[in-house]
Amino acid sequence: MESETSEVTAGQYQLSHLRAIEAQSMHIIREVAAEFERPVLLFSGGKDSVVMLRMAQKAFWPGKIPFPVMHIDTGHNFPEVLKFRDSIVEELEATLLVASVQDSIDAGRSFEEAGVDPSRNRLQTRTLLDAIAEYKFDAVFGGARRDEEKARAKERVFSFRDEFGQWDPKNQRPELWSLYNGRHQVGEHIRVFPISDWTELDVWQYIGQEGLELPSIYYAHRREVFRRDGMLLSPGEFVHPRDGEEVFEAVVRYRTVGDMTCTGAVESTAADVDDIILEVAASRLTERGATRADDRVSEAAMEDRKREGYF
C-alpha cells in the first residue's frame, strides 16, 4: 500500500513540475508576442522546437500561432525530419519560412568548407542573420537549453544581439524573477529561449504527457552506420566513410537532429517515449556532447559560433 501511495505522489510531482515549467515558458512566449512587433520561431523539426511549437499553440488557443516559424535549411537534412516538418506545419496551419544555406552559397554570401566531408552546420549563421535582416525580425525564439552545453548555460532568457547579430555574454541584461528587458534599437534583436531552464528529461516527459509526434529517427530503428571519433554516422549522399571506416548495421536512435554531416546516432533499443525517458534519466552525457561533432572542435566551439550569431 505504501508503494502505491509513493508511486501516485511521484506521478503527481512530475505532472506538477511539468505544468509549472510549461506555464513559465508560455508566459515568456506571450510576453514576446505582446512586446515585439515581428517575432519568429525557429523550427527544425527537432524535439525541442516541437515542444516550443506545442506551447505556442496552447498559448494562443483557440487562435492560430500569431507569428511565422522558420527553418534554416542546410540542404543536408535527414529526409525523415523534413517530411515531419512539413506535415506538422500544415496540420497547425502555421506560416513556414525556409531560409536556405544553398541560396546563401549561390549568392556568394557563404562558401562551402574545404576538405573531406565538409559540413554546412556553421554556414547556418550567415543564412540566419540574413533572414532576420530581410524579414526585420526583432525577436527570434530558439529551443536552446542551459543543460546542453557550457556556452548555452551563460544565456539569459532574453538574449540581446547587436546590430551585427552578434552575442556578447558580458553585455546582457539582468533578469529578476519574471521581468524581461526586450528594449533594443532598430537593427538589433533579441534571441528568446522559452525552454532555457528545461532539461532533456523534462523535454521527453513533456512529449510523453502531451502525446507529441516526432520524426521517426528519434526512436530505435535498424540503420547502416559507421564509427568515427566515437560517433555513429549514417553514410549517404553527404557523408562518406573514409578508409578503414567499416559500414555495418546497428539498432540506433538519434538524441538530436541537425546537419547529417555532424550529427551522430547512439546505439539504443528505446523504441517509445517511456523507454527513452528511462534511458535519458540514466545518461551522464548531454545529447550534444554525445552526438554532435561540431561541438568537439574545441572546448569553446559553441561559444565561438554563438558570438558570430549562431544559436
Side-chain angles (χ1 to χ4, degrees):
M1 192 68 179
E2 289 183 6
S3 61
E4 291 180 4
T5 302
S6 299
E7 185 178 343
V8 171
T9 302
Q12 289 174 337
Y13 172 79
Q14 175 185 320
L15 180 61
S16 175
H17 169 67
L18 292 177
R19 288 306 183 203
I21 59 176
E22 178 193 56
Q24 178 190 38
S25 298
M26 287 171 61
H27 165 73
I28 293 166
I29 292 171
R30 289 175 177 138
E31 186 75 12
V32 169
E35 189 173 340
F36 292 84
E37 293 184 4
R38 297 181 67 84
V40 65
L41 188 150
L42 290 189
F43 184 72
S44 65
K47 65 183 188 308
D48 299 312
S49 57
V50 167
V51 165
M52 282 204 308
L53 193 62
R54 174 63 164 180
M55 288 188 295
Q57 179 191 18
K58 294 177 74 171
F60 303 105
W61 183 263
K64 295 181 181 180
I65 297 172
F67 39 76
V69 300
M70 181 167 67
H71 182 210
I72 308 301
D73 182 5
T74 67
H76 294 172
N77 298 287
F78 292 94
E80 302 96 321
V81 178
L82 290 183
K83 182 179 179 181
F84 172 81
R85 178 201 71 184
D86 294 340
S87 67
I88 192 170
V89 167
E90 181 179 1
E91 178 185 334
L92 295 180
E93 298 182 350
T95 299
L96 173 65
L97 305 174
V98 178
S100 168
V101 169
Q102 184 63 55
D103 288 348
S104 298
I105 294 170
D106 293 343
R109 299 280 290 169
S110 296
F111 301 92
E112 294 273 21
E113 291 183 359
V116 180
D117 293 330
S119 172
R120 289 184 172 182
N121 196 54
R122 192 159 191 153
L123 303 188
Q124 294 178 85
T125 299
R126 180 73 270 153
T127 304
L128 170 63
L129 294 178
D130 286 348
I132 291 172
E134 177 184 353
Y135 292 104
K136 296 182 172 58
F137 292 130
D138 53 2
V140 184
F141 290 107
R145 307 187 325 269
R146 291 187 178 120
D147 74 324
E148 289 180 280
E149 202 275 339
K150 289 183 291 185
R152 285 183 165 169
K154 297 180 180 180
E155 287 279 19
R156 300 289 197 271
V157 174
F158 274 34
S159 184
F160 172 74
R161 296 302 199 271
D162 65 19
E163 66 271 26
F164 302 106
Q166 296 183 332
W167 173 66
D168 180 358
K170 296 181 180 179
N171 185 27
Q172 299 298 317
R173 289 84 180 266
E175 290 181 343
L176 306 175
W177 302 287
S178 296
L179 302 177
Y180 304 107
N181 184 351
R183 294 175 61 184
H184 61 283
Q185 302 295 326
V186 175
E188 301 170 342
H189 69 276
I190 303 292
R191 304 282 174 89
V192 185
F193 303 107
I195 62 171
S196 186
D197 291 336
W198 292 45
T199 66
E200 185 184 6
L201 184 59
D202 291 332
V203 168
W204 277 106
Q205 288 176 335
Y206 188 78
I207 289 167
Q209 175 187 287
E210 295 290 306
L212 300 180
E213 292 186 27
L214 291 178
S216 58
I217 63 174
Y218 273 110
Y219 303 102
H221 59 288
R222 183 165 291 278
R223 193 183 194 97
E224 283 194 339
V225 294
F226 62 92
R227 199 174 299 277
R228 176 181 296 168
D229 298 330
M231 296 193 310
L232 296 175
L233 298 177
S234 182
E237 181 182 356
F238 311 112
V239 187
H240 309 284
R242 300 169 186 166
D243 290 343
E245 293 178 338
E246 180 183 353
V247 176
F248 59 96
E249 280 198 353
V251 178
V252 300
R253 74 176 191 87
Y254 286 83
R255 290 178 67 183
T256 179
V257 297
D259 192 291
M260 292 179 67
T261 61
C262 60
T263 304
V266 294
E267 292 186 88
S268 171
T269 58
D272 58 35
V273 173
D274 290 339
D275 288 345
I276 291 175
I277 288 172
L278 292 175
E279 185 177 271
V280 170
S283 176
R284 292 296 176 266
L285 284 175
T286 68
E287 64 266 48
R288 292 193 70 94
T291 63
R292 293 296 289 268
D294 50 327
D295 289 340
R296 300 184 177 192
V297 176
S298 72
E299 285 195 8
M302 172 64 82
E303 183 159 338
D304 290 343
R305 295 199 306 279
K306 288 178 68 63
R307 287 178 182 274
E308 296 169 359
Y310 185 75
F311 260 85

